[in-house]
Amino acid sequence: MIISAPGDFRAAARRRLPRFLFDYIDGGAGQELTMRRNTDDLADIALRQRVLTGVVAPPLTTTLFGRAQSLPLVLAPVGLTGMFARRGEVQAARAAKAKGIPYCLSTLSVCALEEVAAAAAPIWFQLYMIRDRGFMRELLGRVKAAGCTALAFTVDLPLPGVRYRDGHSGMSGPRASLRRTLQAIAHPRWAWDVALRGGPLNLGNIASALRPGSGLHDYIGWLAANLEPVLQWRDLGWIREHWDGPLIVKGILEVDDARSAAAAGVEGIVVSNHGGRQLDGAPSTARALPAIAEAVGDRLTVLADSGVRSGADVVRLLALGARAVLIGRCWIYALAARGQAGVAQLLDLLESEIRIAMILSGSPELSALDRNTVILPSK
């Protein structure tokens, strides 16, 4: 398959992956209203075309939490990444490092953080709060020892959202294990490369909490029983006791919550609805971002994710107030389709699209992207 645009990776990933994995990354919560709003609301924001501006080659470098990077992008944390390509977290982290941008490793990664950090340090780490505080202290100690440069604390998942696609596809529900096995057999290239050559397929960061030989069903059950359902702002204080680096709160959609995060002294927030995978019916990131950036953008670093499918989408979110943008689904599609080379190709395509959009909108540098760069839809 010829891939010449970011969206081409999705079709390639769909052919390569068993259905339960493709639907896991492709789907959202409930009726997927919020997931669709993320992309639709971004598409409804027009970019102003400016002419005779003299803009030729705008620089795309930026600095996040004291570290320079080549693009205003971060590879967002995605659980089970090592199921989409052989040792997928390592491949993605290497592609990000080669491009000069951060990679954020999920708590629920297949590859343990030590393996990923050894291959492509420095990385960020995404944290879910687990009920067992002893386990959490141990995990945060590992994060520090691995040299992670930022901690992204995800706060919008006290419990998993209602994801009907997972029940239909075999990720969960009746006879799930049998259905996954049959789908794997029907995708022999994936089965050979990932399931057979890429083992062990466990969740490396929490493997110590389960018995040896545990499978996907055991991990899902453990998470359902051990995710902390009663998250409160005071939990940030507990994390601060065990982490002294940049702390980012991921999952903010309301101005009041953004102000609470700023008051708590965190270094950054991610305006995010978890890609539409949690509360179906929540507003899109594009709708929520402007007011949040205006309220707290001078007090902390505002990042954004959800719904990004192109470089133009990145420019839109930057114009709405984000300092940088986390991408999720689009890089997983690329990883599933072509591994590390696919992620590298995607990042090259996004870089080109960002630069072209800036030139044609007359934006000489990233700091020039603001509300005057876009035309918001009339309400």
Side-chain angles (χ1 to χ4, degrees), residues 73-143:
L73 294 176
V74 178
L75 293 194
V78 179
L80 304 182
T81 290
M83 299 286 287
F84 295 92
R86 175 160 40 97
R87 313 313 285 171
E89 291 89 1
V90 169
Q91 294 197 57
R94 284 174 170 161
K97 183 175 183 178
K99 196 64 177 176
I101 66 171
Y103 170 75
C104 188
L105 181 70
S106 171
T107 294
L108 308 183
S109 61
V110 168
C111 297
L113 71 94
E114 291 84 0
E115 179 184 354
V116 181
I123 60 173
W124 293 7
F125 188 79
Q126 174 270 331
L127 180 72
Y128 286 121
M129 185 62 85
I130 304 299
R131 292 180 179 182
D132 184 342
R133 292 299 190 263
F135 175 83
M136 291 294 294
R137 283 192 293 271
E138 176 188 342
L139 180 59
L140 286 170
R142 292 169 59 194
V143 172

Side-chain angles (χ1 to χ4, degrees), residues 61-77:
T61 55
T62 191
T63 300
L64 293 181
F65 310 111
R67 290 180 173 266
Q69 56 185 75
S70 64
L71 296 170
L73 294 176
V74 178
L75 293 194

Side-chain angles (χ1 to χ4, degrees), residues 25-26 73-79 81 84 92 103-104 250 274-275 277 304-310 314 325-336 343 346-347 350:
I25 190 59
D26 195 60
L73 294 176
V74 178
L75 293 194
V78 179
T81 290
F84 295 92
Y103 170 75
C104 188
K250 183 177 183 296
H274 215 100
R277 295 169 62 79
D305 71 17
S306 302
V308 176
R309 299 293 183 270
S310 68
V314 174
V325 174
L326 284 73
I327 57 173
R329 279 188 175 90
C330 58
W331 78 258
I332 284 289
Y333 294 144
L335 179 76
V343 179
L346 170 74
L347 293 175
L350 292 177

Side-chain angles (χ1 to χ4, degrees), residues 2-339:
I2 296 175
I3 292 179
S4 58
D8 294 340
F9 288 106
R10 179 179 181 273
R14 186 169 197 162
R15 283 198 295 269
R16 181 173 176 81
L17 293 173
R19 181 189 170 189
F20 75 93
L21 283 177
F22 180 80
D23 279 7
Y24 173 76
I25 190 59
D26 195 60
Q31 300 176 63
E32 302 184 344
L33 300 175
T34 296
M35 187 179 76
R36 290 193 294 272
R37 284 175 185 166
N38 282 333
T39 53
D40 292 348
D41 287 354
L42 272 174
D44 283 344
I45 298 170
L47 296 172
R48 293 186 185 274
Q49 179 175 297
R50 304 300 302 274
V51 299
L52 304 178
T53 62
V55 177
V56 177
L60 303 184
T61 55
T62 191
T63 300
L64 293 181
F65 310 111
R67 290 180 173 266
Q69 56 185 75
S70 64
L71 296 170
L73 294 176
V74 178
L75 293 194
V78 179
L80 304 182
T81 290
M83 299 286 287
F84 295 92
R86 175 160 40 97
R87 313 313 285 171
E89 291 89 1
V90 169
Q91 294 197 57
R94 284 174 170 161
K97 183 175 183 178
K99 196 64 177 176
I101 66 171
Y103 170 75
C104 188
L105 181 70
S106 171
T107 294
L108 308 183
S109 61
V110 168
C111 297
L113 71 94
E114 291 84 0
E115 179 184 354
V116 181
I123 60 173
W124 293 7
F125 188 79
Q126 174 270 331
L127 180 72
Y128 286 121
M129 185 62 85
I130 304 299
R131 292 180 179 182
D132 184 342
R133 292 299 190 263
F135 175 83
M136 291 294 294
R137 283 192 293 271
E138 176 188 342
L139 180 59
L140 286 170
R142 292 169 59 194
V143 172
K144 292 175 68 174
C148 295
T149 57
L151 184 70
F153 179 35
T154 296
V155 296
D156 60 0
L157 204 150
L159 75 172
V162 177
R163 300 174 188 173
Y164 293 123
R165 272 214 227 185
D166 288 351
H168 294 153
S169 69
M171 176 61 82
S172 60
R175 301 184 300 280
S177 179
L178 174 61
R179 294 163 69 192
R180 291 195 297 266
T181 299
L182 293 175
Q183 290 175 34
I185 292 171
H187 291 78
R189 289 180 58 204
W190 173 87
W192 167 248
D193 188 46
V194 179
L196 297 178
R197 297 176 63 203
L201 294 183
N202 55 28
L203 299 186
N205 296 323
I206 64 172
S208 62
L210 286 95
R211 66 182 185 278
S214 296
L216 181 61
H217 177 78
D218 300 300
Y219 285 95
I220 293 173
W222 185 88
L223 287 169
N226 286 277
L227 282 175
E228 175 57 76
V230 188
L231 286 175
Q232 300 181 59
W233 286 107
R234 64 172 179 249
D235 290 315
L236 291 177
W238 188 91
I239 293 173
R240 279 293 195 198
E241 292 177 10
H242 305 280
W243 171 259
D244 55 6
L247 178 59
I248 306 160
V249 174
K250 183 177 183 296
I252 300 294
L253 281 180
E254 293 291 331
V255 169
D256 286 348
D257 288 339
R259 290 190 175 120
S260 294
V266 303
E267 283 73 26
I269 60 172
V270 183
V271 181
S272 170
N273 53 40
H274 215 100
R277 295 169 62 79
Q278 280 299 99
L279 177 60
D280 195 31
S284 69
T285 292
R287 293 276 187 179
L289 174 60
I292 291 174
E294 184 174 350
V296 301
D298 60 343
R299 301 170 62 187
L300 45 70
T301 298
V302 177
L303 310 174
D305 71 17
S306 302
V308 176
R309 299 293 183 270
S310 68
D313 287 341
V314 174
V315 169
R316 291 178 173 105
L317 289 179
L318 295 175
L320 294 179
R323 179 71 175 271
V325 174
L326 284 73
I327 57 173
R329 279 188 175 90
C330 58
W331 78 258
I332 284 289
Y333 294 144
L335 179 76
R338 294 186 174 179

